[in-house]
Amino acid sequence: MRSESELPFEDDTFSIPVAERVKRLPPYLFGKINKLKYEKRSAGIDVIDLGMGNPTDPPDPIISQKLTEAISDPKNHRYSVSNGIHNLRKEVAKRYYKKYGVQLDPDSEVLACLGSKEGFSHLCLALMGPGDTAIVPAPSFPIHVYAVVLAAGNVIAIDVRDPNKFLERIAYTCEHLYPAPKVVIVNFPHNPSGTCIEQDFYVDLVKLAKKYNFLVISDFAYADICFEGYQAPSFLSTPGAKDVGVEFTTMSKGYSMAGWRIGFCTGNAEMVRALATIKGYYDYGIFQAVQIAAIVAMRHAEAAVEAVAAEYEKRRDALCEGLERIGWEMEKPRAGMFVWAKIPEPWSKMGSIDFAMKLLDEAGVAVSPGRGFGEEGEGHLRLAIVENTQRLRQAVRNIGRCLSDSTPPVETATT
Ligand SMILES: Cc1ncc(COP(=O)(O)O)c(C=O)c1O
């Protein structure tokens, strides 16, 4: 498992003496796939790209207009403040209260980061070091594992697809591991598996956190992309949550502002302060014009967020119905930007990496192999619903044609 970077690098070795922490990062499993995607695109071949959760739609025009306006003010070109400007933090607190009934102090319980991934990674660095252990959900969004690895911590990956068992195994690990885990990372709606939970999950998690004395980091990246009336619960709206943890949210998904790099860490004041301390050394904050446009987004573009979720729901339906028609199995996700599908039977022996290569090479459809999310992901593919419904239907037709024109691998007899 490794980052979802789009770089076409295949080689993981260096001719210079890089630090041990770089060497601890495993071989680049997406390397071959990204290289082929890059080659195809360079040759002018159309690739339907369902590989990354990278929104293709622009943000609401009101947000971009505000950015343009803010850019023409010379004072916005100076270094900003590392934690985020006060009005932005106030707006985040207001939105949390409106959406989840959570009260946050903008000064001590809200911090802006350069995308939630940056904040998450630096928080792991602020909390963990050699000898510390984090429990992470498996299959895993790569940074959930590697932020801990880069902080020199140990990882215990627990299958998250049955949330009750996930909780049981957290309790079991806390009872039996010495020293006990220091941090538990949760991510619902989950990337890549699409697993969702209800509020009572967090009630139990907070109880465990208090009993076993661990800190919780909730990655709530897909908070805004929910379907059919489901509302993903916020970890912070659980009584006592702020005593034990923080939650990361982002403007990348619901507001389609992925390239703008703006997200938030909210909740436990001491954890927020630990992150602020590290960030105070590493960066000077987000471009101020982006922060101002983000305030406007939260004040005036809530309808656009709902429209974005409705659009993803349509895409989910188009992709799931199409894939089901050609015999694929999957659970329709209730939230998020991904369909997590089982590799259809005659093909599963190929393994997810080779199967994903085949789809890219022969069907012109890029998907993420489940193996890219750890061993638990093998046997699956993750398809991001980032292209429009017409392109998604085209992707299904291409896949169907490619598989019906090919011969599945034969079982090798074992003696
Ligand atoms: C679970 C999860 N967390 C965080 C992120 C990154 O979000 P941001 O753009 O805010 O860094 C992603 C993006 O794909 C994600 O899937």
Side-chain angles (χ1 to χ4, degrees):
M1 180 189 0
R2 198 159 160 189
S3 83
E4 290 186 278
S5 152
E6 289 272 296
L7 294 172
F9 302 147
E10 228 184 327
D11 191 0
D12 283 277
T13 54
F14 289 90
S15 58
I16 52 160
V18 293
E20 273 310 308
R21 74 176 66 83
V22 173
K23 293 186 205 150
R24 282 184 81 193
L25 299 171
Y28 194 7
L29 288 181
F30 290 158
K32 256 186 358 188
I33 294 176
N34 283 347
K35 187 163 176 265
L36 180 60
K37 187 157 74 178
Y38 183 79
E39 282 165 5
K40 280 190 176 271
R41 283 206 177 123
S42 307
I45 299 167
D46 179 38
V47 172
I48 303 179
D49 194 353
L50 315 183
M52 246 181 115
N54 194 357
T56 48
D57 308 285
D60 188 291
I62 196 177
I63 309 171
S64 308
Q65 274 156 19
K66 191 67 199 180
L67 178 72
T68 314
E69 202 184 290
I71 279 178
S72 51
D73 185 343
K75 75 173 184 295
N76 290 330
H77 291 260
R78 306 183 63 211
Y79 292 126
S80 189
V81 275
S82 172
N83 290 2
I85 54 178
H86 184 259
N87 279 350
L88 175 66
R89 286 182 276 115
K90 213 165 92 184
E91 210 55 45
V92 172
K94 251 163 71 184
R95 187 170 191 259
Y96 248 101
Y97 184 68
K98 205 160 138 200
K99 232 182 143 178
Y100 306 108
V102 174
Q103 270 179 321
L104 294 166
D105 171 14
D107 290 326
S108 61
E109 296 176 336
V110 180
L111 179 142
C113 31
L114 296 139
S116 62
K117 190 170 168 180
E118 178 274 322
F120 174 85
S121 311
H122 281 139
L123 181 62
C124 289
L125 200 58
L127 299 178
M128 307 204 61
D132 293 330
T133 298
I135 290 180
V136 305
S140 313
F141 179 55
I143 198 63
H144 292 160
V145 171
Y146 292 105
V148 178
V149 170
L150 287 168
N154 304 315
V155 169
I156 295 191
I158 299 186
D159 200 319
V160 78
R161 288 168 287 190
D162 180 337
N164 288 329
K165 283 206 184 118
F166 180 67
L167 282 172
E168 279 167 26
R169 291 196 52 203
I170 291 173
Y172 182 87
T173 308
C174 291
E175 285 287 347
H176 293 89
L177 187 76
Y178 182 82
K182 185 171 182 182
V183 171
V184 170
I185 294 160
V186 289
N187 165 223
F188 298 104
H190 181 240
N191 174 13
S193 73
T195 308
C196 289
I197 41 108
E198 302 297 339
Q199 194 80 51
D200 54 0
F201 174 91
Y202 287 135
V203 174
D204 292 342
L205 184 66
V206 169
K207 273 190 208 147
L208 290 181
K210 292 196 170 188
K211 178 169 178 190
Y212 296 110
N213 216 15
F214 59 74
L215 299 170
V216 175
I217 306 178
S218 162
D219 178 346
F220 201 23
Y222 297 98
D224 293 325
I225 317 284
C226 297
F227 312 134
E228 295 174 87
Y230 172 68
Q231 171 61 69
S234 158
F235 161 71
L236 292 180
S237 60
T238 312
K242 266 204 277 179
D243 301 337
V244 295
V246 291
E247 184 155 86
F248 282 94
T249 47
T250 179
M251 302 199 73
S252 296
K253 313 293 180 179
Y255 293 91
S256 303
M257 290 166 67
W260 297 48
R261 310 313 298 133
I262 180 158
F264 308 102
C265 177
T266 48
N268 184 277
E270 281 300 277
M271 290 171 77
V272 167
R273 192 161 71 90
L275 174 56
T277 305
I278 288 250
K279 280 178 65 61
Y281 280 87
Y282 274 132
D283 71 69
Y284 286 120
I286 305 158
F287 180 28
Q288 197 149 290
V290 166
Q291 299 188 52
I292 291 167
I295 295 172
V296 165
M298 282 185 270
R299 283 190 192 152
H300 303 295
E302 218 46 46
V305 175
E306 280 164 33
V308 163
E311 175 60 28
Y312 283 120
E313 185 171 338
K314 269 196 235 147
R315 293 176 186 178
R316 173 203 69 163
D317 291 344
L319 184 61
C320 289
E321 281 154 24
L323 289 174
E324 271 160 7
R325 245 191 326 270
I326 62 168
W328 288 37
E329 281 174 40
M330 76 221 63
E331 254 182 54
K332 244 183 175 184
R334 292 161 77 201
M337 282 167 56
F338 305 103
V339 168
W340 181 245
K342 246 172 116 172
I343 299 178
E345 216 13 83
W347 300 98
S348 65
K349 311 173 196 61
M350 271 183 93
S352 61
I353 294 176
D354 286 348
F355 188 64
M357 276 296 274
K358 179 179 174 67
L359 297 188
L360 175 58
D361 197 23
E362 297 169 24
V365 180
V367 301
S368 291
R371 183 67 183 81
F373 306 95
E375 276 167 32
E376 294 82 354
E378 190 46 277
H380 287 78
L381 297 176
R382 191 197 71 175
L383 298 92
I385 45 180
V386 289
E387 299 251 23
N388 65 35
T389 47
Q390 217 182 325
R391 299 264 293 165
L392 290 169
R393 289 197 187 100
Q394 184 64 50
V396 174
R397 279 195 296 275
N398 292 3
I399 292 173
R401 204 173 306 129
C402 153
L403 297 183
S404 60
D405 287 351
S406 338
T407 315
V410 275
E411 188 95 63
T412 12
T414 45
T415 46

